Coordinates of all heavy atoms in Angstrom, one line a residue:
M148 N 0.8 -1.2 0.0 CA 0.0 0.0 0.0 C 0.9 1.2 0.0 O 1.8 1.4 0.8 CB -0.9 0.0 1.2 CG -1.7 1.3 1.4 SD -2.6 1.2 3.0 CE -4.2 1.6 2.3
S149 N 0.7 2.1 -0.9 CA 1.5 3.3 -1.0 C 1.0 4.4 0.0 O -0.1 4.2 0.6 CB 1.4 3.9 -2.4 OG 0.1 4.3 -2.7
L150 N 1.7 5.4 0.2 CA 1.4 6.5 1.1 C 0.3 7.4 0.5 O 0.5 7.8 -0.6 CB 2.7 7.3 1.5 CG 2.5 8.4 2.5 CD1 2.2 7.8 3.8 CD2 3.7 9.2 2.5
E151 N -0.7 7.7 1.3 CA -1.7 8.6 1.0 C -1.6 9.8 1.9 O -1.4 9.6 3.1 CB -3.1 8.0 1.0 CG -3.3 6.9 -0.1 CD -4.7 6.3 0.0 OE1 -5.6 7.0 0.4 OE2 -4.8 5.2 -0.4
V152 N -1.6 11.0 1.4 CA -1.5 12.2 2.2 C -2.7 13.1 1.9 O -3.0 13.4 0.8 CB -0.2 12.9 1.9 CG1 0.0 14.2 2.7 CG2 1.0 12.0 2.1
S153 N -3.3 13.6 3.0 CA -4.3 14.6 2.9 C -4.2 15.7 4.0 O -3.6 15.4 5.0 CB -5.7 14.0 2.9 OG -6.0 13.4 4.2
T154 N -4.6 16.9 3.7 CA -4.4 17.9 4.7 C -5.8 18.5 5.0 O -6.7 18.5 4.2 CB -3.5 19.1 4.2 OG1 -4.0 19.6 3.0 CG2 -2.1 18.5 3.9
R155 N -5.9 19.0 6.2 CA -7.0 19.8 6.7 C -6.6 20.8 7.7 O -5.4 20.7 8.2 CB -8.1 18.8 7.3 CG -7.6 18.0 8.4 CD -8.6 16.8 8.7 NE -8.0 15.8 9.5 CZ -8.1 15.7 10.8 NH1 -8.9 16.5 11.5 NH2 -7.5 14.7 11.5
K156 N -7.4 21.7 8.0 CA -7.0 22.7 9.0 C -8.0 22.8 10.1 O -9.2 22.6 9.9 CB -7.0 24.1 8.2 CG -6.0 23.9 7.1 CD -5.5 25.1 6.5 CE -4.5 24.9 5.4 NZ -4.8 24.0 4.4
A157 N -7.5 23.0 11.3 CA -8.3 23.2 12.5 C -7.7 24.3 13.3 O -6.5 24.3 13.7 CB -8.3 21.9 13.3
A158 N -8.5 25.4 13.4 CA -8.0 26.6 14.0 C -6.8 27.1 13.2 O -6.8 27.3 12.0 CB -7.7 26.4 15.5
N159 N -5.6 27.3 13.9 CA -4.4 27.7 13.2 C -3.4 26.6 13.0 O -2.2 26.8 12.9 CB -3.8 28.9 13.9 CG -3.3 28.6 15.3 OD1 -3.7 27.6 15.8 ND2 -2.5 29.4 15.9
I160 N -3.9 25.3 13.0 CA -3.0 24.1 12.9 C -3.4 23.4 11.6 O -4.5 23.2 11.2 CB -3.2 23.2 14.1 CG1 -2.9 23.9 15.4 CG2 -2.4 21.9 13.9 CD1 -3.2 23.1 16.6
A161 N -2.3 23.1 10.8 CA -2.5 22.3 9.6 C -2.3 20.8 10.0 O -1.2 20.5 10.6 CB -1.5 22.7 8.6
I162 N -3.3 20.0 9.7 CA -3.2 18.6 10.1 C -3.0 17.8 8.8 O -3.7 18.0 7.8 CB -4.5 18.1 10.8 CG1 -4.7 19.0 12.0 CG2 -4.4 16.6 11.1 CD1 -6.1 18.8 12.6
V163 N -1.9 17.0 8.8 CA -1.6 16.2 7.7 C -1.9 14.7 8.0 O -1.3 14.2 8.9 CB -0.1 16.3 7.3 CG1 0.2 15.4 6.1 CG2 0.2 17.8 7.0
D164 N -2.9 14.2 7.4 CA -3.3 12.8 7.7 C -2.5 11.9 6.7 O -2.6 12.1 5.5 CB -4.8 12.6 7.4 CG -5.7 13.4 8.5 OD1 -5.4 13.2 9.7 OD2 -6.5 14.2 8.0
L165 N -1.8 10.9 7.3 CA -1.0 10.0 6.5 C -1.6 8.6 6.6 O -2.1 8.2 7.7 CB 0.4 9.9 7.0 CG 1.2 11.3 7.1 CD1 2.5 11.1 7.8 CD2 1.4 11.8 5.7
S166 N -1.6 7.9 5.5 CA -2.2 6.5 5.5 C -1.3 5.6 4.6 O -0.9 6.0 3.5 CB -3.6 6.6 5.0 OG -4.2 5.3 4.9
G167 N -1.0 4.5 5.1 CA -0.2 3.5 4.3 C 1.2 3.3 4.9 O 1.4 3.4 6.1
R168 N 2.2 3.2 4.0 CA 3.5 2.9 4.3 C 4.4 4.1 4.0 O 4.4 4.6 2.9 CB 4.1 1.7 3.5 CG 3.3 0.4 3.9 CD 3.6 -0.7 2.9 NE 5.0 -1.0 2.9 CZ 5.6 -2.0 3.6 NH1 4.9 -2.7 4.4 NH2 6.9 -2.2 3.5
L169 N 5.2 4.5 5.0 CA 6.1 5.6 4.8 C 7.5 5.0 4.6 O 8.2 4.7 5.5 CB 6.1 6.5 6.1 CG 6.9 7.8 6.0 CD1 6.5 8.7 4.8 CD2 6.6 8.6 7.3
T170 N 7.8 4.8 3.3 CA 9.0 4.1 2.9 C 9.6 4.7 1.6 O 9.1 5.6 1.1 CB 8.7 2.6 2.5 OG1 7.8 2.6 1.3 CG2 8.0 1.8 3.6
V171 N 10.8 4.2 1.3 CA 11.5 4.7 0.1 C 10.6 4.2 -1.1 O 9.9 3.2 -1.1 CB 12.9 4.1 0.0 CG1 12.9 2.6 -0.3 CG2 13.7 4.8 -1.1
G172 N 10.6 5.0 -2.2 CA 9.8 4.7 -3.4 C 9.3 5.9 -4.0 O 9.6 7.1 -3.7
K173 N 8.4 5.7 -4.9 CA 7.8 6.8 -5.7 C 7.1 7.8 -4.9 O 7.0 9.0 -5.3 CB 6.9 6.3 -6.9 CG 5.7 5.6 -6.4 CD 4.8 5.2 -7.5 CE 3.5 4.6 -7.0 NZ 2.4 4.7 -7.9
D174 N 6.5 7.4 -3.7 CA 5.7 8.3 -2.9 C 6.6 9.0 -1.8 O 6.1 9.7 -1.0 CB 4.6 7.6 -2.2 CG 3.6 7.0 -3.3 OD1 3.4 7.7 -4.3 OD2 3.1 5.9 -3.1
S175 N 7.9 8.7 -1.8 CA 8.7 9.1 -0.6 C 8.8 10.6 -0.5 O 9.0 11.1 0.6 CB 10.1 8.5 -0.7 OG 10.8 9.0 -1.8
G176 N 8.7 11.4 -1.5 CA 8.8 12.8 -1.5 C 7.4 13.5 -1.2 O 7.4 14.7 -1.0
Q177 N 6.4 12.7 -1.2 CA 5.0 13.3 -1.0 C 4.9 14.1 0.3 O 4.3 15.2 0.3 CB 4.0 12.2 -1.2 CG 2.6 12.7 -1.3 CD 1.6 11.6 -1.6 OE1 2.0 10.4 -1.6 NE2 0.4 11.9 -1.8
L178 N 5.4 13.5 1.4 CA 5.3 14.2 2.7 C 6.1 15.4 2.7 O 5.6 16.5 3.1 CB 5.7 13.2 3.8 CG 5.8 13.9 5.2 CD1 4.5 14.4 5.6 CD2 6.4 12.8 6.2
R179 N 7.3 15.4 2.2 CA 8.2 16.5 2.1 C 7.6 17.7 1.3 O 7.6 18.8 1.7 CB 9.5 16.1 1.4 CG 10.5 17.3 1.4 CD 11.8 16.9 0.7 NE 12.2 15.5 0.9 CZ 12.4 14.6 -0.1 NH1 12.4 15.1 -1.4 NH2 12.8 13.4 0.1
E180 N 7.0 17.3 0.2 CA 6.3 18.4 -0.7 C 5.1 19.0 0.0 O 4.9 20.2 -0.1 CB 5.9 17.8 -2.0 CG 7.0 17.6 -3.0 CD 7.7 18.9 -3.3 OE1 7.0 19.9 -3.6 OE2 8.9 19.0 -3.1
T181 N 4.3 18.1 0.7 CA 3.2 18.6 1.5 C 3.6 19.6 2.5 O 3.0 20.7 2.7 CB 2.4 17.5 2.1 OG1 1.9 16.6 1.0 CG2 1.2 18.0 2.8
V182 N 4.6 19.3 3.3 CA 5.1 20.1 4.4 C 5.7 21.4 3.8 O 5.4 22.5 4.3 CB 6.1 19.4 5.3 CG1 6.8 20.4 6.2 CG2 5.4 18.3 6.1
R183 N 6.4 21.3 2.7 CA 7.0 22.5 2.1 C 5.9 23.4 1.6 O 6.0 24.6 1.8 CB 7.8 22.0 0.9 CG 8.6 23.2 0.2 CD 9.3 22.7 -1.0 NE 8.5 22.4 -2.1 CZ 7.9 23.3 -2.9 NH1 8.1 24.6 -2.8 NH2 7.1 23.0 -3.9
E184 N 4.9 22.9 1.0 CA 3.8 23.7 0.5 C 3.0 24.4 1.7 O 2.7 25.6 1.6 CB 2.8 22.8 -0.2 CG 1.8 23.6 -1.1 CD 2.4 24.3 -2.2 OE1 3.4 23.8 -2.8 OE2 1.9 25.4 -2.6
L185 N 2.8 23.7 2.8 CA 2.2 24.3 3.9 C 3.0 25.5 4.5 O 2.5 26.5 4.8 CB 2.0 23.3 5.0 CG 0.9 22.2 4.8 CD1 0.9 21.1 5.8 CD2 -0.5 22.9 4.8
L186 N 4.3 25.2 4.6 CA 5.2 26.3 5.1 C 5.2 27.5 4.1 O 5.2 28.6 4.6 CB 6.7 25.7 5.2 CG 6.8 24.7 6.4 CD1 8.2 24.0 6.2 CD2 6.6 25.3 7.7
L187 N 5.3 27.3 2.8 CA 5.2 28.4 1.9 C 3.9 29.2 2.0 O 3.9 30.4 1.7 CB 5.4 27.8 0.5 CG 6.8 27.4 0.1 CD1 6.8 26.7 -1.3 CD2 7.8 28.5 0.2
N188 N 2.9 28.5 2.4 CA 1.6 29.2 2.6 C 1.4 29.8 4.0 O 0.3 30.2 4.3 CB 0.4 28.2 2.2 CG 0.3 27.9 0.8 OD1 0.5 28.8 -0.1 ND2 0.1 26.7 0.4
G189 N 2.5 29.8 4.7 CA 2.4 30.5 6.0 C 2.0 29.7 7.2 O 1.9 30.2 8.3
H190 N 1.8 28.4 7.1 CA 1.5 27.5 8.2 C 2.7 27.2 9.0 O 3.7 26.6 8.5 CB 0.8 26.2 7.7 CG -0.5 26.5 7.0 ND1 -1.7 26.8 7.6 CD2 -0.8 26.5 5.7 CE1 -2.6 27.0 6.8 NE2 -2.1 26.8 5.6
K191 N 2.7 27.5 10.3 CA 3.8 27.3 11.1 C 3.6 26.2 12.2 O 4.5 25.8 12.8 CB 4.2 28.6 11.9 CG 4.6 29.7 10.9 CD 5.9 30.2 11.2 CE 6.2 31.4 10.2 NZ 7.5 31.4 9.8
R192 N 2.4 25.8 12.3 CA 2.0 24.7 13.2 C 1.4 23.6 12.4 O 0.4 23.7 11.9 CB 1.0 25.2 14.3 CG 1.6 26.4 15.1 CD 0.6 27.0 16.0 NE 0.4 26.0 17.1 CZ -0.6 26.1 18.0 NH1 -1.5 27.1 17.9 NH2 -0.8 25.3 19.0
I193 N 2.2 22.5 12.4 CA 1.8 21.3 11.6 C 1.8 20.1 12.5 O 2.7 19.8 13.3 CB 2.9 21.1 10.4 CG1 2.9 22.4 9.6 CG2 2.5 19.9 9.6 CD1 4.0 22.4 8.5
L194 N 0.7 19.3 12.3 CA 0.5 18.1 13.1 C 0.4 16.9 12.1 O -0.4 17.0 11.1 CB -0.8 18.2 13.9 CG -1.2 17.1 14.8 CD1 -0.2 16.9 15.9 CD2 -2.6 17.3 15.3
L195 N 1.3 15.9 12.2 CA 1.3 14.8 11.4 C 0.5 13.7 12.1 O 0.9 13.1 13.1 CB 2.7 14.3 11.0 CG 3.6 15.2 10.3 CD1 4.9 14.6 10.0 CD2 3.0 15.7 9.0
N196 N -0.7 13.3 11.5 CA -1.5 12.3 12.1 C -1.1 10.9 11.5 O -1.3 10.6 10.3 CB -3.0 12.5 11.8 CG -3.9 11.5 12.4 OD1 -3.5 10.6 13.1 ND2 -5.2 11.6 12.1
M197 N -0.4 10.1 12.3 CA 0.2 8.9 11.9 C -0.7 7.6 12.2 O -0.3 6.5 12.1 CB 1.5 8.7 12.6 CG 2.5 9.8 12.5 SD 3.5 9.8 11.1 CE 4.4 8.3 11.3
E198 N -2.0 7.9 12.5 CA -2.9 6.8 13.0 C -3.0 5.7 11.9 O -3.0 4.5 12.3 CB -4.2 7.4 13.3 CG -5.2 6.3 13.8 CD -6.5 6.9 14.3 OE1 -6.8 8.0 13.9 OE2 -7.2 6.2 15.0
E199 N -3.0 6.0 10.7 CA -3.2 5.0 9.6 C -1.9 4.6 8.9 O -1.9 3.9 7.9 CB -4.2 5.5 8.6 CG -5.6 5.8 9.1 CD -6.3 4.6 9.6 OE1 -6.1 3.5 8.9 OE2 -7.0 4.7 10.6
V200 N -0.8 5.0 9.5 CA 0.5 4.6 9.0 C 0.9 3.2 9.6 O 0.9 3.1 10.8 CB 1.7 5.6 9.3 CG1 3.0 5.1 8.9 CG2 1.3 6.9 8.6
N201 N 1.1 2.2 8.8 CA 1.3 0.8 9.3 C 2.8 0.4 9.2 O 3.1 -0.7 9.7 CB 0.4 -0.2 8.6 CG 0.5 -0.1 7.1 OD1 1.6 0.2 6.5 ND2 -0.6 -0.4 6.4
Y202 N 3.6 1.2 8.6 CA 5.0 0.8 8.5 C 5.9 2.1 8.2 O 5.5 2.9 7.3 CB 5.2 -0.2 7.4 CG 6.7 -0.7 7.3 CD1 7.2 -1.6 8.3 CD2 7.5 -0.3 6.3 CE1 8.5 -2.1 8.1 CE2 8.8 -0.7 6.2 CZ 9.3 -1.6 7.1 OH 10.6 -2.0 7.0
V203 N 7.0 2.2 8.8 CA 8.0 3.3 8.5 C 9.4 2.6 8.4 O 9.8 2.0 9.4 CB 8.0 4.4 9.6 CG1 9.0 5.4 9.3 CG2 6.6 5.0 9.8
D204 N 10.0 2.8 7.3 CA 11.4 2.3 7.2 C 12.4 3.5 7.4 O 12.0 4.6 7.8 CB 11.7 1.6 5.9 CG 11.7 2.5 4.6 OD1 11.5 3.7 4.8 OD2 11.8 2.0 3.5
S205 N 13.7 3.2 7.3 CA 14.6 4.3 7.5 C 14.5 5.5 6.6 O 14.7 6.6 7.1 CB 16.1 3.7 7.4 OG 16.3 3.2 6.1
S206 N 14.1 5.3 5.4 CA 13.8 6.4 4.5 C 12.6 7.2 5.0 O 12.6 8.4 4.8 CB 13.6 5.9 3.1 OG 14.8 5.3 2.6
G207 N 11.6 6.5 5.5 CA 10.4 7.2 6.0 C 10.8 8.0 7.2 O 10.3 9.2 7.4
L208 N 11.7 7.5 8.1 CA 12.1 8.2 9.2 C 12.9 9.5 8.8 O 12.8 10.5 9.4 CB 13.0 7.3 10.1 CG 13.5 7.9 11.4 CD1 12.4 8.3 12.3 CD2 14.4 6.9 12.1
A209 N 13.7 9.3 7.7 CA 14.4 10.5 7.2 C 13.5 11.5 6.7 O 13.8 12.7 6.9 CB 15.4 10.0 6.1
E210 N 12.4 11.1 6.1 CA 11.4 12.1 5.7 C 10.8 12.9 6.8 O 10.5 14.1 6.8 CB 10.2 11.4 4.9 CG 10.6 11.0 3.5 CD 11.0 12.1 2.6 OE1 10.3 13.2 2.6 OE2 12.0 12.0 1.9
L211 N 10.5 12.2 7.9 CA 10.0 12.8 9.1 C 11.0 13.8 9.7 O 10.6 15.0 10.0 CB 9.6 11.8 10.2 CG 8.5 10.9 9.9 CD1 8.3 9.8 10.9 CD2 7.2 11.7 9.7
V212 N 12.3 13.4 9.8 CA 13.3 14.3 10.3 C 13.5 15.5 9.3 O 13.6 16.7 9.8 CB 14.7 13.6 10.4 CG1 15.8 14.5 10.7 CG2 14.5 12.5 11.5
S213 N 13.4 15.3 8.0 CA 13.5 16.4 7.1 C 12.4 17.4 7.2 O 12.6 18.6 7.2 CB 13.5 15.8 5.6 OG 13.5 16.8 4.7
S214 N 11.2 16.9 7.5 CA 10.0 17.7 7.7 C 10.1 18.5 9.0 O 9.8 19.7 9.0 CB 8.7 16.9 7.7 OG 8.5 16.2 6.5
L215 N 10.6 17.9 10.0 CA 10.9 18.6 11.3 C 11.9 19.7 11.1 O 11.7 20.8 11.5 CB 11.4 17.6 12.3 CG 11.8 18.2 13.7 CD1 10.6 18.9 14.4 CD2 12.4 17.2 14.6
T216 N 13.0 19.4 10.4 CA 14.1 20.4 10.2 C 13.6 21.6 9.4 O 13.8 22.7 9.7 CB 15.3 19.7 9.5 OG1 15.7 18.6 10.3 CG2 16.4 20.7 9.3
A217 N 12.8 21.3 8.3 CA 12.3 22.4 7.5 C 11.3 23.3 8.2 O 11.3 24.5 8.1 CB 11.6 21.8 6.3
T218 N 10.5 22.6 9.1 CA 9.5 23.4 9.9 C 10.2 24.3 10.9 O 9.9 25.5 11.0 CB 8.5 22.5 10.5 OG1 7.9 21.6 9.5 CG2 7.4 23.2 11.3
A219 N 11.1 23.7 11.6 CA 11.9 24.4 12.6 C 12.7 25.6 12.0 O 12.8 26.7 12.6 CB 12.8 23.5 13.4
G220 N 13.2 25.3 10.8 CA 14.0 26.3 10.1 C 13.2 27.6 9.7 O 13.7 28.6 9.5
R221 N 11.9 27.4 9.7 CA 11.0 28.5 9.3 C 10.3 29.1 10.6 O 9.3 29.8 10.5 CB 10.0 28.1 8.3 CG 10.6 27.8 7.0 CD 9.6 27.9 5.9 NE 10.3 27.7 4.6 CZ 10.2 28.6 3.6 NH1 9.5 29.7 3.8 NH2 10.7 28.3 2.5
G222 N 10.8 28.6 11.8 CA 10.2 29.1 13.0 C 8.9 28.5 13.4 O 8.2 29.0 14.2
G223 N 8.7 27.3 12.8 CA 7.4 26.6 13.1 C 7.6 25.4 14.0 O 8.7 25.1 14.5
R224 N 6.5 24.7 14.2 CA 6.6 23.5 15.1 C 5.9 22.4 14.4 O 4.8 22.5 13.8 CB 5.9 23.8 16.4 CG 6.6 24.8 17.2 CD 6.2 24.9 18.6 NE 6.2 23.6 19.2 CZ 6.5 23.3 20.4 NH1 7.0 24.3 21.2 NH2 6.4 22.1 20.9
L225 N 6.5 21.2 14.4 CA 5.9 20.0 13.8 C 5.8 18.9 14.9 O 6.7 18.7 15.6 CB 6.7 19.5 12.7 CG 6.2 18.3 12.0 CD1 6.3 18.4 10.5 CD2 6.9 17.0 12.4
K226 N 4.6 18.3 15.0 CA 4.4 17.3 16.1 C 3.7 16.1 15.4 O 3.1 16.2 14.4 CB 3.5 17.8 17.2 CG 4.2 18.9 18.0 CD 3.4 19.2 19.2 CE 4.2 20.3 20.0 NZ 3.6 20.5 21.3
L227 N 4.0 14.9 16.0 CA 3.4 13.7 15.6 C 2.2 13.3 16.5 O 2.3 13.5 17.7 CB 4.4 12.5 15.6 CG 5.7 12.8 14.8 CD1 6.6 11.6 14.9 CD2 5.4 13.0 13.3
L228 N 1.2 12.7 15.9 CA 0.0 12.3 16.6 C -0.3 10.8 16.3 O -0.2 10.4 15.1 CB -1.2 13.2 16.2 CG -2.6 12.9 16.8 CD1 -2.6 13.1 18.3 CD2 -3.6 13.7 16.1
N229 N -0.7 10.1 17.2 CA -1.2 8.7 17.0 C -0.1 7.8 16.4 O -0.3 7.0 15.5 CB -2.4 8.6 16.1 CG -3.6 9.3 16.8 OD1 -3.9 9.1 18.0 ND2 -4.4 10.0 16.0
V230 N 1.1 7.9 17.0 CA 2.2 7.1 16.5 C 2.1 5.7 17.2 O 1.9 5.5 18.4 CB 3.6 7.7 16.9 CG1 4.7 6.8 16.4 CG2 3.7 9.1 16.3
H231 N 2.2 4.6 16.3 CA 2.1 3.3 16.8 C 3.5 2.8 17.2 O 4.5 3.3 16.8 CB 1.6 2.3 15.7 CG 0.3 2.7 15.2 ND1 -0.9 2.3 15.9 CD2 -0.1 3.4 14.1 CE1 -1.9 2.8 15.3 NE2 -1.5 3.4 14.2
K232 N 3.5 1.8 18.1 CA 4.8 1.2 18.6 C 5.5 0.6 17.4 O 6.6 0.6 17.2 CB 4.6 0.2 19.6 CG 4.1 0.8 20.9 CD 4.0 -0.3 22.0 CE 3.5 0.3 23.3 NZ 3.4 -0.6 24.3

């Protein structure tokens, strides 16, 4: 199952709902692009909802770190929600 990404807004928080596998492959840049687009549009508070993510490999972890770094670099905050063990 590939990664599906959708965004929604609640108050002044951008919520990114992720579903599927966060792995290396054709969808690996999708999270990075979504976060970049949110930052370019002025969103500084981003919440990644990981409830429907069933697998994260090392490349997926790198995408999360990259998103965190990009958000912090613009003075924003990125948090994870519903992370599975």
